[in-house]
Amino acid sequence: MNRKSYVAGLPAIDSDGEREEKSWQKMIQGIRRKGSDCNEPLKPVPSIVILLLLGAYLTLGYLTQLVEDDMPKVIYEEDIQKDDAETFSEESARHYLDQILGTEPRVAGTAYHYEKTKDLKALIDSIAAQANLPVRTDWQFVSEIYDVQNDNYMNTSRKNRLWSQIAQEMRINGDYWLASRTPQVNCYQNLSNIIAVLEGESGFHANGTIGTSLLVNCHYDSVPFAIGASDNGVFCAVMVETLSKLSRRERKLTHNIVFLFNGAEENPLQGSHGFLQHPWSQGITSVVNLDAAGMNGKPSVFQVSDPRIISAYLRSVNRPNAQAFGEFLFKSGIIPSDTDFRIWRDFGDIHGVDIAFAKWGSVYHTRNDQPQLLQPGVVQNAGNMLLGLVANVADYENLGIKEPATSLVYYDYLNLFLLTYSPTVSQIVDVLVALFSFLTVACFLLIIGFRRSSLIDLLVTALGRILALLVGILTVVLLVLLMAATTTQLRYLSKPWLAVPLYWIPFLIATLVTSLIYDSRNFMKSGLNRSLRTLQAMAATRLLLGATLLVLAFWSSLGSLRYVISVTLFIMSAVSLISMNIVRYFRLKAWQHLLLEFVLSLPSTMFLMSMSLRLGAIMLPTAGRIPNNNPDYLVGGISLALAIVVSSTVSGIELLFSRKRLWLPIGLISIVCVVLMFVPMSPYDDDGIATQRHYWFHSKIITYDANKTEVERTSGVLVTRHDAYTLNTVLPALEERGIQLESKTDFAEDCDRYVHCNLPLYRSSFAQYLHDVLFLYTDPPSPFDPEPTLNVTRSCVDSVCTLDCVMIGPAHNTLTFVPRPGVNLTSWSFSSPVQPTSQFANRSVYLVIHSTATYSEKLAPLEFTLTFSVNPTLQTQPIVDISHHAHKIAHPEDFTEEYKKLLDAVPRYFNIASSLSVRSNYIF
């Protein structure tokens, strides 16, 4: 039988025209006749229709964005009954937000932060006074005074006294080892939090502790020079409204709910650690942690360690938003941030979910984090989520059993429903999906004839898919290298849609052209028409994806990423059965088959587009705060990976198009892309949300010898690098305004002589930036009051030397200890373990970040002791280098006139977080 005219599995046409048939038999026979010649040549779809198809998918992406941005109707307080305990009101929450935010940044340790803390306590107290259920509140002042006899931390709260009075009476501090990407000892003094407990049936104990409780945490402090509407004012306001509504209930919930308004998260993560010393923390078994890395959109679940909480989320949230790939990005360090979830997990053994706003990441930690930019319905949606979630969890009977940390795979489908399962189940599911995809490939082979030649044709087609993929990847890589070398990077900060013509479409064009050329050289061998060759190409794609998924299933650590492939492949495989049978039994024209595949691709394509939009919302702004010479490499790589996965859902439909005049649509699309690639565009907006991030430190750097005699002094403005262009834009901007300053960018010699290049260190994460900075020589900052000092008394007995240290400084300080060769730091008075943070010239560097987290007119000194093991022959010499980095991080009233002129001279798109810093280098 001629292979070119035979399709296995299709019945032969009954040529007996005289046989009598019933009407339904004639209909079935007609259908079968339509399939009997499905291998005959089809008239292809005109190539110009590629433009329409591209437009259709771009429109689909826009519609997917509308689904992502869809928000519930705002509910006003007048529409709610006074005793309604189940309806959240955005209007009320916005009112609370205004009270929480005020008009200035609420930086921990500043006077304004203290004033807003008092206002927040008064707000919580007013809700407690009007509640139907018992609500207890506390302004926690953290002390490490431990009651050994009762095996309990003493409650150092003072309900009717000023914090400034308490601070003068007792030494209040705490510290811990923060094992982040840039580890450090995190030390705090004068820390305070606002806490409210909605009493449940689990209640309070006589010793001041509480029964089984759910913790809900936000932080009301902000970074310097940012109001912090989204980070984290919105969630604090949502918590206040949630407390208000739940307190109107007539019946107690099964368990208590602890609402923690954290006073020092940005320090970083100090407020949460301090709360663990409160008696109320001992009854907590689970946590809902709330934070933000952006603004607007739906808050996303991006870390899960307690399956009970995500199950409650599934039951109570109508519009779930949860993707496990966010957890992978976060834990891998690709997203350079951290949340209090680390503290609950590592120090409290408390597990649950971490939820954050992620859209509009360009406003994160900038002056644009303003309440005016919050879109209607955003707060309502967040409130609906939180109110339902915490009520559901607090009524969970078995919450009293503290669960160990548990990993999960979880994802939502277009905010419609949420799926969760364990990593073990994930492996089983992924293997089954891979096998299912292989089964659909076998179905295709049965249709065209399951024989050796058909299998070879399929493998040849799969090879073509791989070749097209490689050409597409190579094309994008070359274009990214060319654009990074010849154009402005980061343009997607102000125009996120540019990621499509810069990375996605070039990949699609290259793969499409390669696929059509490859098909033109091989289609005569198969003898299949366009429809069957399209099905063959789709089967080959499923074969490759299935094989990839099967291999990845053996890496359990990739469970939070594999589902992207498995969900897509499952949908593709399921709809392929529909597509193959329609093509088999119905005589479709090429354009009809194209329309069929477009419609059938919608479920998988929209799922992937939804994920792409979310990932793009996270990663595009993140590229604007990574001090990398080529951030477009990262964004281009991520965009390329997304384009590969999304395009796989329709891989093969290009074979339905005519190659005649293909140059016309391809040429038009390419021209548009090339123009957008190389037309100059600014990454930043003067009046938009895309700003250039700057950290400026008006600094004084002093070096003392072993006799405490000053031997070197420098002053100026340190500009650290926070995106590809931070350092390149400062001098031209100042020169344009007629300001000429001596500057320095080469710190190689300083980096060899001094730890951290003899520059002021603000946070441990900034250490990686100090090798590539700009220093502008200016007059020193205004004098500090009191002047930062470090007084040390040294004593040695046998081979042990002890340094008793007293540090006097502002609210924010950094200390580095670098023992001399042959000297070992063996212990200290900090409760954290003695662990080096880094190495310098083969010497260990110990780093302590210190903050005074609640304002006091007179700051208490930090007293600590260092103990060294020192050979007696070395005790006549210096044994350690200590640097004290003192920072006033939110004090514009102390700026000098010269410094103000510099700040006024820069472009509006500069977003400058400015600090006054003094670095003092000592030898002891």
Side-chain angles (χ1 to χ4, degrees):
M1 182 175 290
N2 187 342
R3 179 185 171 203
K4 295 184 179 182
S5 61
Y6 173 75
V7 178
L10 296 178
I13 299 175
D14 187 349
S15 59
D16 185 0
E18 311 225 349
R19 184 165 62 95
E20 292 187 4
E21 295 176 326
K22 296 181 180 180
S23 58
W24 63 270
Q25 291 175 320
K26 292 180 179 180
M27 180 181 69
I28 295 298
Q29 189 65 17
I31 292 175
R32 295 192 173 190
R33 286 196 182 101
K34 290 180 181 178
S36 63
D37 56 356
C38 66
N39 61 336
E40 292 181 1
L42 292 179
K43 183 179 179 181
V45 178
S47 58
I48 197 67
V49 178
I50 289 175
L51 296 176
L52 296 178
L53 184 64
L54 177 61
Y57 278 108
L58 292 177
T59 302
L60 185 63
Y62 174 72
L63 294 175
T64 306
Q65 182 69 74
L66 293 181
V67 172
E68 289 286 307
D69 292 341
D70 183 42
M71 293 293 161
K73 179 182 177 183
V74 173
I75 296 178
Y76 298 92
E77 190 64 23
E78 63 183 16
D79 299 326
I80 304 173
Q81 297 294 326
K82 185 175 181 180
D83 58 349
D84 188 338
E86 298 179 352
T87 307
F88 186 94
S89 169
E90 175 172 320
E91 181 186 33
S92 293
R94 290 295 294 257
H95 177 66
Y96 295 139
L97 177 63
D98 292 339
Q99 296 180 65
I100 292 169
L101 294 182
T103 58
E104 301 176 24
R106 300 165 310 288
V107 178
T110 63
Y112 193 72
H113 174 270
Y114 176 55
E115 291 301 315
K116 297 312 295 179
T117 303
K118 291 191 293 184
D119 292 345
L120 179 58
K121 178 63 163 58
L123 175 60
I124 299 301
D125 286 341
S126 68
I127 290 175
Q130 302 173 41
N132 291 333
L133 297 178
V135 176
R136 299 195 192 184
T137 68
D138 189 24
W139 186 346
Q140 178 202 15
F141 299 115
V142 178
S143 170
E144 284 203 331
I145 302 174
Y146 191 79
D147 184 353
V148 179
Q149 292 181 345
N150 296 323
D151 191 28
N152 196 0
Y153 285 102
M154 298 175 61
N155 183 2
T156 60
S157 300
R158 303 292 189 271
K159 294 185 180 296
N160 299 310
R161 303 178 60 194
L162 292 176
W163 169 245
S164 57
Q165 294 174 331
I166 301 168
Q168 293 172 9
E169 295 178 10
M170 60 188 347
R171 179 185 172 196
I172 298 177
N173 56 43
D175 68 82
Y176 59 97
W177 176 257
L178 184 61
S180 59
R181 209 166 114 189
T182 50
Q184 66 198 41
V185 174
N186 215 359
C187 177
Y188 52 84
Q189 291 179 275
N190 302 7
L191 181 72
S192 66
N193 297 305
I194 301 299
I195 314 166
V197 179
L198 177 66
E199 187 174 337
E201 296 293 343
S202 57
F204 285 73
H205 300 151
N207 65 355
T209 61
I210 60 178
T212 302
S213 304
L214 168 69
L215 173 65
V216 186
N217 173 69
C218 75
H219 69 89
Y220 65 90
D221 65 318
S222 70
V223 295
F225 301 91
I227 295 296
S230 66
D231 185 25
N232 190 227
V234 165
F235 266 134
C236 287
V238 167
M239 280 174 53
V240 174
E241 171 67 354
T242 298
L243 171 63
S244 175
K245 287 296 185 290
L246 292 178
S247 69
R248 300 179 188 182
R249 291 172 57 96
E250 296 297 328
R251 180 188 68 84
K252 287 184 178 180
L253 295 161
T254 305
H255 306 287
N256 305 318
I257 303 176
V258 178
F259 293 85
L260 173 61
F261 299 88
N262 179 329
E265 189 269 353
E266 300 288 4
N267 265 19
L269 312 184
Q270 295 177 350
S272 51
H273 187 270
F275 171 71
L276 292 176
Q277 300 182 37
H278 196 288
W280 291 352
S281 71
Q282 296 181 26
I284 293 170
T285 58
S286 296
V287 63
V288 175
N289 193 69
L290 305 169
D291 213 326
M295 174 185 280
N296 292 319
K298 300 179 179 71
S300 177
V301 176
F302 69 101
Q303 292 194 91
V304 176
S305 58
D306 188 337
R308 299 174 301 181
I309 310 301
I310 195 67
S311 296
Y313 180 88
L314 174 62
R315 293 191 301 269
S316 58
V317 177
N318 292 328
R319 302 174 182 215
N321 193 299
Q323 293 290 344
F325 72 75
E327 188 166 332
F328 174 83
L329 295 173
F330 203 77
K331 289 183 177 180
S332 65
I334 295 175
I335 299 177
S337 296
D338 214 339
T339 75
D340 288 315
F341 201 73
R342 174 186 291 274
I343 303 298
W344 309 133
R345 179 193 67 206
D346 294 351
F347 295 92
D349 191 27
I350 301 171
H351 309 291
V353 297
D354 205 1
I355 303 175
F357 288 101
K359 196 180 176 186
W360 283 32
S362 293
V363 309
Y364 173 69
H365 284 187
T366 74
R367 63 172 183 255
N368 289 322
D369 193 358
Q370 298 280 351
Q372 304 92 295
L373 294 179
L374 285 168
Q375 296 175 339
V378 169
V379 177
Q380 185 69 51
N381 179 73
N384 293 346
M385 177 273 297
L386 188 65
L387 181 59
L389 174 60
V390 299
N392 198 298
V393 175
D395 253 351
Y396 182 69
E397 192 65 32
N398 294 325
L399 191 66
I401 303 173
K402 204 167 189 179
E403 295 283 349
T406 304
S407 298
L408 286 176
V409 176
Y410 52 92
Y411 51 90
D412 72 274
Y413 183 83
L414 295 174
N415 304 135
L416 297 176
F417 57 86
L418 178 68
L419 294 176
T420 67
Y421 38 78
S422 69
T424 301
V425 173
S426 171
Q427 286 183 298
I428 296 172
V429 167
D430 293 343
V431 170
L432 291 177
V433 169
L435 295 177
F436 178 45
S437 70
F438 297 155
L439 179 62
T440 64
V441 173
C443 289
F444 170 76
L445 290 174
L446 286 173
I447 289 176
I448 65 170
F450 203 111
R451 52 189 177 277
R452 183 172 177 272
S453 58
S454 300
L455 181 59
I456 292 174
D457 285 346
L458 179 66
L459 295 177
V460 169
T461 302
L463 182 62
R465 300 291 96 188
I466 296 173
L467 178 62
L469 174 66
L470 293 176
V471 171
I473 292 173
L474 180 61
T475 299
V476 175
V477 168
L478 292 176
L479 287 173
V480 168
L481 293 174
L482 180 62
M483 286 187 287
T486 61
T487 66
T488 303
Q489 299 185 76
L490 295 172
R491 288 171 290 171
Y492 38 76
L493 291 182
S494 56
K495 302 170 184 65
W497 54 268
L498 276 177
V500 175
L502 264 55
Y503 311 116
W504 285 58
I505 294 181
F507 170 78
L508 297 175
I509 291 175
T511 54
L512 182 147
V513 172
T514 304
S515 174
L516 288 175
I517 293 175
Y518 186 88
D519 179 69
S520 69
R521 295 178 177 273
N522 290 279
F523 82 93
M524 292 298 295
K525 299 177 183 179
S526 68
L528 302 178
N529 70 7
R530 292 182 183 275
S531 281
L532 290 179
R533 295 206 309 279
T534 296
L535 294 180
Q536 187 178 60
M538 290 182 161
T541 300
R542 296 195 302 276
L543 178 65
L544 294 172
L545 286 176
T548 301
L549 183 60
L550 199 58
V551 172
L552 294 179
F554 291 97
W555 276 268
S556 57
S557 59
L558 297 178
S560 57
L561 290 179
R562 281 199 316 267
Y563 75 90
V564 178
I565 298 177
S566 61
V567 172
T568 305
L569 183 57
F570 175 77
I571 298 173
M572 290 171 58
S573 299
V575 300
S576 72
L577 297 176
I578 301 173
S579 174
M580 287 187 293
N581 280 285
I582 290 178
V583 171
R584 178 181 183 184
Y585 291 115
F586 291 87
R587 174 63 170 169
L588 296 181
K589 295 180 180 179
W591 69 267
Q592 292 173 322
H593 190 185
L594 176 64
L595 183 59
L596 171 68
E597 297 297 351
F598 173 79
V599 172
L600 292 178
S601 73
L602 294 182
S604 56
T605 304
M606 289 191 72
F607 171 73
L608 291 174
M609 284 184 172
S610 171
M611 295 194 59
S612 300
L613 290 168
R614 296 182 197 182
L615 186 58
I618 296 171
M619 293 310 303
L620 296 186
T622 297
R625 52 190 180 99
I626 296 177
N628 191 302
N629 287 329
N630 295 292
D632 282 13
Y633 291 178
L634 173 64
V635 172
I638 292 174
S639 299
L640 178 59
L642 292 173
I644 291 171
V645 179
V646 174
S647 63
S648 68
T649 62
V650 291
S651 179
I653 64 172
E654 71 278 2
L655 303 182
L656 295 170
F657 288 96
S658 170
R659 291 184 293 275
K660 188 177 181 180
R661 299 190 182 89
L662 180 63
W663 60 268
L664 180 58
I666 296 302
L668 291 174
I669 297 171
S670 299
I671 289 172
V672 172
C673 290
V674 169
V675 169
L676 292 173
M677 285 176 188
F678 298 102
V679 168
M681 298 182 191
S682 173
Y684 316 109
D685 290 327
D686 281 336
D687 301 310
I689 65 172
T691 59
Q692 187 181 56
R693 297 170 186 270
H694 287 252
Y695 282 83
W696 287 22
F697 301 89
H698 192 189
S699 307
K700 178 171 62 176
I701 303 167
I702 310 170
T703 300
Y704 301 93
D705 63 15
N707 298 318
K708 294 198 72 173
T709 301
E710 181 180 318
V711 295
E712 188 178 346
R713 177 184 289 254
T714 303
S715 66
V717 177
L718 169 66
V719 181
T720 57
R721 181 174 188 164
H722 285 271
D723 80 5
Y725 299 113
T726 307
L727 305 184
N728 301 336
T729 54
V730 175
L731 287 176
L734 295 177
E735 291 170 358
E736 187 176 337
R737 297 292 295 271
I739 299 176
Q740 300 283 342
L741 291 174
E742 183 183 354
S743 64
K744 180 178 179 178
T745 56
D746 184 4
F747 284 84
E749 183 178 345
D750 300 83
C751 294
D752 289 338
R753 293 177 56 201
Y754 296 96
V755 66
H756 301 133
C757 306
N758 201 28
L759 295 169
L761 179 65
Y762 171 49
R763 292 280 187 262
S764 60
S765 59
F766 279 56
Q768 60 186 311
Y769 309 153
L770 294 180
H771 292 78
D772 189 11
V773 298
L774 171 66
F775 195 85
L776 307 173
Y777 289 96
T778 68
D779 289 340
S782 298
F784 285 31
D785 184 21
E787 193 70 17
T789 59
L790 181 65
N791 297 312
V792 175
T793 301
R794 172 177 158 177
S795 60
C796 295
V797 177
D798 296 329
S799 61
V800 176
C801 289
T802 301
L803 270 59
D804 293 312
C805 309
V806 179
M807 185 201 76
I808 297 175
H812 299 271
N813 303 272
T814 299
L815 291 165
T816 59
F817 313 125
V818 188
R820 291 291 179 99
V823 178
N824 295 312
L825 178 62
T826 57
S827 64
W828 53 21
S829 57
F830 301 112
S831 59
S832 303
V834 180
Q835 297 186 69
T837 298
S838 59
Q839 295 288 316
F840 170 71
N842 296 320
R843 298 159 62 188
S844 295
V845 178
Y846 301 85
L847 180 64
V848 176
I849 302 295
H850 166 267
S851 296
T852 300
T854 304
Y855 172 76
S856 176
E857 290 184 5
K858 184 178 180 181
L859 299 180
L862 176 67
E863 301 177 18
F864 59 94
T865 301
L866 306 175
T867 303
F868 299 88
S869 172
V870 186
N871 190 299
T873 60
L874 300 176
Q875 291 179 7
T876 58
Q877 306 172 19
I879 62 174
V880 63
D881 297 291
I882 301 179
S883 294
H884 174 203
H885 310 245
H887 304 286
K888 296 171 73 172
I889 66 174
H891 293 267
E893 69 278 4
D894 293 334
F895 290 171
T896 64
E897 291 303 315
E898 180 187 25
Y899 188 52
K900 289 179 182 177
K901 289 180 181 178
L902 295 183
L903 296 176
D904 291 340
V906 299
R908 284 184 297 167
Y909 68 80
F910 277 27
N911 186 89
I912 301 177
S914 189
S915 300
L916 308 179
S917 301
V918 176
R919 171 169 173 159
S920 303
N921 301 315
Y922 301 96
I923 301 174
F924 298 106

